[in-house]
Amino acid sequence: MKIYRFLSGDDTSAFCHKVTEALNKGWELYGQPTYAFDAANGVMRCGQAVTKEVEGEYDPDLRLGTL
């Protein structure tokens, strides 16, 4: 089955490390990254969708970050 995650966070190196970790665990980038200003907190935020093929069947209780 194909699984999907949306990674998000403040525009810091921590976000880049989060995406890098996912890529090294077999996730693939899906689509373009997003970048938006969070006016309430005065920071830029980033987002990136990733997908991965895994064995098994979909379960809504599946913890995607553990795959």
Side-chain angles (χ1 to χ4, degrees), residues 21-58:
E21 179 182 22
L23 294 173
N24 281 283
K25 289 184 175 180
W27 292 85
E28 296 182 10
L29 298 177
Y30 181 82
Q32 297 295 316
T34 61
Y35 197 61
F37 182 67
D38 177 350
N41 293 300
V43 297
M44 292 301 290
R45 301 229 188 242
C46 300
Q48 176 64 58
V50 292
T51 61
K52 184 178 185 180
E53 285 285 339
V54 297
E55 295 293 322
E57 293 186 26
Y58 175 71

